[in-house]
Each structure stands twice: as structure tokens, then as C-alpha cells.
Amino acid sequence: MAKNDSAGSSGPVAVTADDLERMVRALPPGTIEAFTQRIQPLLANNCAAAGCHGVQSETTFKLLKLPPGQPPSRRLTQRNLHNAMQCVDRRDNDER
């Protein structure tokens, strides 16, 4: 997956649709459903809506806003999941 190479890079590398599809296929079954139903609404309603992690924020963790009154698209969910996964230390998940 595309990552931000801080050594001499001017910003994050764009994540392609193919990158997102590969990420989704590599996740355990039920991950997308759990993220879509439980985690993404919390992040979108609190973190993105407050402006702290919206697309205009100056933080590295950004979330795309969910469309009001309709379910989020597959691609929007994939992008939000990708962005959230950048903040997760997956090496340390068994110790908690």
C-alpha cells in the first residue's frame, strides 16, 4: 500500500482504488462490516464532524464525511478505514 515516505517527500502518496481493494481483501472476515456499522459512525459523528479530523484539518489523520441521510459508499468507507488503519499498531494487538 502507498505510504508517506517522510525522507524527502512533499506529502502523502495517493492511495489508489487498487490499493484499497488489496487492503480489504487482506483483512479478516467481518472487518469491513464492523468498521462500517460501529467504528466509522463514531469517528464520523465525533472526529470528522467536529472538524478535528475532517479533510480541511491540519492533522495527518483525516476522515471523509458521511453523506447525510444515506449509507456511505464502498470507496468512502475503504478510504476512512485505510486512514484509520494508519493509526493502528498491528504488531501490538495481542497484548491488550
Side-chain angles (χ1 to χ4, degrees):
M1 238 177 291
K3 298 252 187 218
N4 183 6
D5 179 8
S6 58
S9 177
S10 61
V13 176
V15 177
T16 68
D18 287 339
D19 291 333
L20 295 172
E21 290 297 331
R22 277 191 293 281
M23 174 199 66
V24 167
R25 285 192 301 272
L27 294 171
T31 301
I32 293 292
E33 292 80 4
F35 180 79
T36 302
Q37 295 171 3
R38 293 185 212 126
I39 299 166
Q40 182 169 243
L42 289 172
L43 293 174
N45 291 330
N46 295 299
C47 305
C52 303
H53 297 287
V55 294
Q56 299 298 317
S57 75
E58 294 185 20
T59 65
T60 56
F61 177 45
K62 296 187 188 315
L63 296 163
L64 300 175
K65 260 184 140 174
L66 303 181
Q70 53 185 301
S73 70
R74 174 180 171 87
R75 189 67 67 220
L76 183 142
T77 296
Q78 288 175 336
R79 291 201 180 276
N80 280 342
L81 176 58
H82 174 269
N83 292 346
M85 293 291 291
Q86 302 310 299
C87 299
V88 174
D89 182 356
R90 293 194 269 181
R91 298 170 298 172
D92 194 25
N93 65 356
D94 291 333
E95 295 180 18
R96 294 184 200 162

